[in-house]
Amino acid sequence: MKLSAFAKVAAIGGIAALTLTSCAANEGAPAEGDAQASSLTGTLVGGGASSQGSAQEAWVAGFQTAHADVTVNYDPAGSGAGRETFQQGASAFAGSDRAFKTDEITAGPFDSCATDAVVEFPAYISPIAVIFNVDGVDSLNLDAATVAKIFNGTITKWNDPAIAGQNPDATLPDQNITAVHRSDESGTTGNFTDYLSAAAPSDWTVGSIESWPTEFGGEGAQGTSGVVEAVTNGVGTIGYADASRAEGLGTVAIKVGEEYVEYSPEAAAAIVDASSVEEGRGEHDIAIKLDRTSTEAGVYPIVLVSYLIGCEEYKDSANTELVKEYFGYIVSEEGQKLAAEAAGSAPISADLRSKIEPAIAAIK
């Protein structure tokens, strides 16, 4: 069940922050005494990945219910904006569809932090759905090369042989394809192009990038909501978005090995558990190196691993306990269950949680 929507927009800490009021937080609230028992107070400001939007709604509602004197504000302005706002010190934490690169951490600075050491870990795991709007077609099978050629502008018609050959039972129109991409810097774009770069390197030659290459054309749209709206309201459109937003649109099953795999939370979790943690990072910097070319059965390779990012040590000690408690709530079994119910995400595994909890505990 999806929880209530963000209640209002407030200007806090120099950014536009979406605020869930305490009234919204009362949905599914525990006993009154439980909320009163918390001594935690203050306002926590964060922002970033729009992919986390529905999950953040659920997390904020649940956390504010348990901590009646805390307000959490999360602005889903996009991963790039979230990382920038965090670096500038206008927010205490960021949500991002990728971890900071090691050279970005080295370059710094992080104005909220006492040092340039950051805590990063996966908090939200979800498939990225390839969504489309073609009259009379609800689902398609596509391999990586075909997806790459659609989005680089090489394939321009829906009845192109490369599409028709993989979908012999579909009635495909002689209709132009309009490929919709994110116009803003986006971790969702980064994850989508990371897949194309790994699985179809001959057809996607620009690598893993968060800003769409203008030479490929297509239609740009702001944020996850913008892409979904453009695909929904367009004709012959195709795009990519967090799978939680794919309802009502046609979706693509992606070829993995010799099979076509539909997106699902289980398939997204499977590829994360089959992947490793990146080497060469700090002790509390947990970035996953996804195996996009896996051929294991039941694995969906276009997956978004969205991170929470905070300081290892805060300049303002008021942020320390708020961040630790909120982060801990998000990765708890309860928090992950709420996100799964609200957004269809894949709860992190117990093994991954055991790596994350010491990183949260280290925040000071």
Side-chain angles (χ1 to χ4, degrees), residues 40-331:
L40 200 64
T41 64
T43 298
L44 179 61
V45 177
S50 59
S51 60
Q52 292 185 23
S54 296
Q56 286 285 348
E57 291 181 37
W59 291 329
V60 170
F63 191 74
Q64 290 184 164
T65 296
H67 303 281
D69 294 325
V70 175
T71 299
V72 181
N73 306 286
Y74 184 84
D75 175 21
S79 293
R83 293 193 304 273
E84 182 178 354
T85 300
F86 172 67
Q87 285 188 281
Q88 292 172 346
S91 64
F93 74 93
S96 175
D97 294 342
R98 70 162 173 84
F100 275 109
K101 297 175 182 178
T102 53
D103 60 345
E104 291 173 336
I105 296 173
T106 301
F110 297 92
D111 288 345
S112 291
C113 306
T115 71
D116 284 341
V118 296
V119 170
E120 301 184 284
F121 55 85
Y124 179 86
I125 299 170
S126 178
I128 296 172
V130 180
I131 53 178
F132 65 89
N133 186 3
V134 176
D135 190 34
V137 183
D138 296 326
S139 62
L140 288 171
N141 295 329
L142 297 176
D143 59 21
T146 304
V147 175
K149 289 175 182 176
I150 289 172
F151 281 91
N152 72 15
T154 303
I155 292 177
T156 61
K157 293 282 190 179
W158 278 108
N159 62 350
D160 186 280
I163 301 174
Q166 296 175 77
N167 298 277
D169 297 328
T171 302
L172 296 165
D174 182 16
Q175 183 180 62
N176 289 333
I177 296 173
T178 299
V180 182
H181 59 265
R182 289 281 289 269
S183 60
D184 53 323
E185 184 179 357
S186 162
T188 305
T189 298
N191 279 277
F192 180 61
T193 59
D194 189 56
Y195 162 71
L196 296 178
S197 179
S202 297
D203 299 296
W204 189 265
T205 58
V206 295
S208 175
I209 49 177
E210 292 188 299
S211 296
W212 196 259
T214 56
E215 64 268 26
F216 290 165
E219 178 181 337
Q222 176 77 23
T224 300
S225 297
V227 171
V228 173
E229 182 178 357
V231 173
T232 301
N233 295 332
V235 177
T237 45
I238 188 169
Y240 55 91
D242 185 83
S244 65
R245 305 296 301 278
E247 185 176 357
L249 290 165
T251 57
V252 173
I254 297 296
K255 192 172 186 180
V256 177
E258 296 303 314
E259 299 179 340
Y260 291 94
V261 180
E262 296 181 354
Y263 74 83
S264 70
E266 294 76 18
I271 196 167
V272 174
D273 286 342
S275 301
S276 59
V277 176
E278 287 184 11
E279 297 181 354
R281 289 180 172 266
E283 180 181 2
H284 306 305
D285 186 358
I286 304 167
I288 304 298
K289 185 175 177 60
L290 288 169
D291 182 7
R292 303 283 190 184
T293 59
S294 174
T295 57
E296 290 190 22
V299 163
Y300 184 84
I302 317 179
V303 65
L304 176 148
V305 179
S306 199
Y307 292 79
L308 287 179
I309 305 171
C311 301
E312 192 170 286
E313 182 176 357
Y314 282 91
K315 289 179 180 177
D316 183 354
S317 60
N319 284 322
T320 303
E321 286 305 313
L322 289 170
V323 171
K324 288 177 74 169
E325 290 294 328
Y326 189 55
F327 280 9
Y329 176 75
I330 286 173
V331 302

